[in-house]
Amino acid sequence: MPPARYQPSLSLVTGASSGIGAAFARALAARGSDLVLVARREDRLRALASELEAAHGIRCLVVALDLSKPEPGAALLGALREHLDARLPDLVVNNAGFGIQGRVVATDPDRLAQEVAVDVAAVVDLCRTFVEPMIARGSGVVLNIASTAAYQPVPGMAVYAASKAFVKLFTEALWHEARPHGVTVFAVSPGAVASEFFAEGRRISAPTPYWEPSRIAEAGLRALDRGVRGGPRGGIRVPPEVMPGFANRAAAFSTRFVPRRVMLHFGAKLAAPQR
């Protein structure tokens, strides 16, 4: 008998036009899941949707949406009602996000507000929107993308690191609230990822090797597969945070023992672009 796999019927992925989001979309399509692909770049979403529909025989709904705008959850519910007869996702992957490199006082305040809106407010709004109906039906999964940056202050990327700390702690609390109702909420916290995350292809001086986005998606879905096998009566048991890679876990764990001033110095070096 083959091992159990997590196989959602419909998955919603934000930030699906590239990087980790596109990797999750490809991995979920290979499992036979229909998809709702969300991002600002409609042309990229449509190209990805065509690729996945042709390769896997699934259905993709493309929703071009700026998640920095208020109430993105309501906008997505409207799209689901209009195009999918109000069909709701079994899995929501909150992946959309971006990071600004530079000192806070030297950054356009509108850009900082957009960063908080996408990296924090949209995550909360989408969780609030989709966890409620999941609880009502007694099943569902929300996967939030956090980061190893959540484990220390990062001068030069202050808002990004703080936003990921928020996502990590918010997810842990929501995991506890939703778990008794059959709903799984957890965070995947990658380290450095080889993607278009940083403008103009710049990379930070990460202390651990860069991972391909496909490996992050595989790690998140493997955690769900293990949860399906370990859950009671087909339920899903996943810890509130999954951190792929021993080096990443060791680096995050070590921050507990390093003085805060030292971590600030280390964080400032971490955010410096590679030369």
Side-chain angles (χ1 to χ4, degrees):
M1 186 174 182
R5 296 180 85 207
Y6 178 68
Q7 294 181 287
S9 173
L10 177 66
S11 303
L12 186 153
V13 183
T14 69
S17 59
S18 65
I20 295 173
F24 265 103
R26 290 190 170 95
L28 288 162
R31 293 182 176 220
S33 177
D34 291 338
L35 295 168
V36 181
L37 304 175
V38 183
R40 291 180 303 161
R41 296 179 289 189
E42 185 173 359
D43 56 339
R44 289 202 178 190
L45 291 180
R46 294 204 177 279
L48 178 61
S50 296
E51 170 198 329
L52 298 181
E53 287 176 339
H56 302 289
I58 62 163
R59 181 181 179 185
C60 292
L61 172 62
V62 167
V63 182
L65 182 64
D66 183 351
L67 293 174
S68 69
K69 303 301 182 185
E71 300 183 359
L76 286 173
L77 279 180
L80 294 174
R81 291 191 188 102
E82 180 179 357
H83 299 286
L84 295 180
D85 298 323
R87 184 180 171 198
L88 293 174
D90 308 294
L91 168 66
V92 173
V93 179
N94 275 318
N95 162 73
F98 69 96
I100 296 173
Q101 290 174 288
R103 294 181 302 128
V104 171
V105 297
T107 304
D108 180 354
D110 289 339
R111 286 290 287 160
L112 291 176
Q114 288 177 339
E115 187 176 16
V116 173
V118 174
D119 293 5
V120 175
V123 173
V124 174
D125 188 65
L126 293 178
C127 285
R128 175 65 182 83
T129 298
F130 290 106
V131 168
E132 182 179 18
M134 288 178 178
I135 287 175
R137 69 175 183 255
S139 66
V141 175
V142 174
L143 188 164
N144 295 330
I145 298 297
S147 172
T148 55
Y151 284 81
Q152 68 277 310
V154 183
M157 291 187 68
V159 173
Y160 176 75
S163 74
K164 290 306 180 181
F166 175 92
V167 170
K168 168 182 157 50
L169 295 177
F170 170 72
T171 301
E172 290 177 359
L174 192 56
W175 173 87
H176 189 273
E177 292 180 5
R179 191 182 186 196
H181 304 282
V183 177
T184 299
V185 181
F186 73 110
V188 173
S189 296
V193 180
S195 70
E196 299 175 6
F197 180 82
F198 294 107
E200 301 173 357
R202 292 180 298 176
R203 291 187 173 188
I204 62 171
S205 303
T208 56
Y210 275 75
W211 281 45
E212 290 300 320
S214 59
R215 294 182 66 195
I216 306 302
E218 289 167 6
L221 294 179
R222 274 201 310 271
L224 284 169
D225 291 341
R226 290 193 297 270
V228 170
R229 291 194 290 272
R233 299 182 182 178
I236 301 174
R237 287 183 178 175
V238 180
E241 182 182 34
V242 172
M243 187 176 293
F246 174 79
N248 289 325
R249 293 192 293 274
F253 183 75
S254 69
T255 62
R256 302 181 185 187
F257 308 102
V258 180
R260 218 58 175 167
R261 287 193 177 191
V262 175
M263 289 306 305
L264 282 164
H265 178 72
F266 173 77
K269 286 192 171 184
L270 178 70
Q274 290 181 347
R275 299 294 182 185

